[in-house]
């Protein structure tokens, strides 16, 4: 075959009329600090010395190295973070962007036993109206440059998890192939849950979402296999005996004597059966798009180490940040909606998060 007529390999791209031609650049935008939140002042003393600003005394901390909750447009926030030296510094990004589902993003709140609905502010309404004005094209216009910035923010061993569903996930998958490279695709995780449908159905019930996982560099990507206990290990092991499924754990009985028990577990595959939060769950914040903590816990444990920096630029009610905090990770969150910021802040303060 003549070199001039040889076809380029893997040249498929997602094309739409308004697709941005250039990737956004960092912008030297100043963050305005609304408040410094120290839920537990003792945390200042517990922070590593690298977090403290010696010029101001040992009890003061360097705000640049604190966790960050940013209220505003995540495009501007990421451009500012890049300009402030965060390029290649984030180890894990998880995002749960809107699904182009034309959903109502109002928020139900309960105060002193009375429930009322908080409607989006004028600014939020205008932002959402502008974002979805052109249908799927404008949704892709919104997400494409943001994913480009996220790639720049990721460390070489970092990865990104995008939570999506049947509405727009197939478009996002092709977009991610283009930005991160098909060779850096890790997994498509199926999150299987159960939601009861009472109305008459004209199709199969939708009881799953998708998590698309891409590495910045597949050869360097952090990955820790996850395991779950076997429900009926004796029955399974009679049929398929495998010593690798077992591990020994020491336990002490009431008299202080050490006993040994054998625990059987299996590695997690790409179908995760994790229940939706119940109406009485202690996790529930009454934020409509809130995801269960075990879902985020598995993703964060699999793709980051303790002390790593985790970011969520569509943080909603703050589940990613709360789980990252509990697992000993640092975090950055960004949310456009004021209600989301307020819910997240309260959630982090209640759990005694680090500054």
């Amino acid at each position: 075959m003549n070199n001039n007529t040889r076809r380029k390999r893997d040249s498929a791209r997602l094309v739409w009329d308004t697709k941005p031609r250039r990737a956004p650049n960092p912008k030297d935008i100043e963050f305005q600090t609304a408040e410094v939140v120290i839920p537990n002042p003792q945390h200042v003393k517990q922070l590593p010395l690298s977090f403290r600003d010696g010029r101001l005394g040992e009890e003061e901390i360097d705000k640049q190295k604190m966790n960050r909750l940013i209220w505003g447009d995540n495009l501007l926030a990421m451009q500012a973070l890049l300009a402030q030296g965060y390029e290649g510094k984030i180890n894990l990004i998880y995002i749960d962007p809107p699904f182009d589902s034309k959903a109502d993003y109002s928020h139900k709140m309960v105060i002193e036993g009375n429930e009322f609905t908080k409607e989006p502010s004028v600014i939020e309404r205008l932002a959402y109206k502008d974002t979805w004005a052109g249908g799927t094209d404008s949704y892709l216009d919104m997400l494409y440059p943001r994913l480009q910035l996220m790639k720049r923010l990721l460390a070489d061993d970092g990865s990104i998890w995008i939570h999506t569903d049947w509405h727009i996930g197939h478009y996002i998958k092709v977009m991610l192939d283009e930005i991160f490279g098909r060779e850096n695709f890790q997994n498509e995780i199926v999150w299987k849950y159960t939601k009861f449908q009472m109305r008459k159905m004209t199709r199969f019930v939708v009881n799953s979402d998708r998590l698309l996982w891409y590495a910045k560099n597949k050869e360097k990507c952090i990955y820790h296999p996850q395991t779950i206990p076997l429900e009926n290990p004796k029955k399974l092991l009679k049929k398929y005996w495998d010593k690798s499924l077992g591990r020994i754990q020491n336990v002490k009985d009431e008299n202080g004597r050490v006993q040994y028990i054998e625990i059987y577990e299996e590695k997690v595959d790409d179908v995760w059966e994790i229940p939706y939060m119940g109406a009485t769950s202690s996790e529930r914040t009454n934020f409509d798009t809130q995801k269960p903590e075990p879902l985020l816990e598995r993703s964060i444990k699999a793709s980051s180490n303790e002390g790593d920096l985790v970011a969520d630029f569509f943080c909603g009610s703050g589940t990613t940040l709360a789980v990252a905090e509990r697992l000993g990770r640092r975090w950055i969150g960004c949310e456009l909606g004021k209600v989301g910021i307020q819910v997240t802040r309260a959630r982090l303060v209640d759990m005694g998060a680090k500054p």
Side-chain angles (χ1 to χ4, degrees), residues 92 159 161 213 221-226 272 296-305 327 329:
L92 171 63
S159 56
W161 292 68
W213 174 27
C221 181
I222 296 170
Y223 171 57
H224 304 295
Q226 299 298 296
W272 297 0
L296 274 300
E297 180 172 333
R298 191 172 290 175
S299 305
I300 291 171
K301 281 184 173 180
S303 294
S304 67
N305 298 313
L327 295 177
R329 276 68 168 170

Side-chain angles (χ1 to χ4, degrees), residues 78-143:
M78 286 188 283
Q79 288 175 296
L81 288 171
L82 284 168
Q84 293 184 8
Y86 279 84
E87 184 158 1
K89 294 294 195 293
I90 298 177
N91 304 99
L92 171 63
I93 295 174
Y94 167 93
I95 58 169
D96 180 12
F99 294 159
D100 190 26
S101 57
K102 314 300 185 290
D104 174 17
Y105 293 101
S106 56
H107 176 66
K108 292 183 176 63
M109 304 180 74
V110 178
I111 296 180
E112 296 181 352
N114 298 314
E115 182 178 287
F116 69 97
T117 300
K118 167 70 172 67
E119 299 294 338
S121 67
V122 174
I123 293 174
E124 292 169 65
R125 285 181 184 277
L126 289 173
Y128 287 128
K129 182 179 178 182
D130 180 61
T131 300
W132 316 131
T136 299
D137 280 20
S138 59
Y139 178 84
L140 299 175
D141 286 343
M142 179 279 295
L143 193 57

Side-chain angles (χ1 to χ4, degrees), residues 25 44 58 76 82 138 147 179 183 262 266 276 290 335:
N25 290 316
V44 176
E58 189 172 276
L76 296 174
L82 284 168
S138 59
L147 290 174
I179 294 171
E183 70 279 5
E262 203 163 2
E266 61 180 342
Y276 237 91
Q290 183 183 357
E335 172 63 25

Side-chain angles (χ1 to χ4, degrees), residues 3 36 76-77 131 151 159 249 254 274 295 348:
N3 285 337
V36 176
L76 296 174
T131 300
K151 183 181 180 183
S159 56
Q249 179 172 306
E254 292 180 358
I274 296 176
L295 182 72
L348 293 165

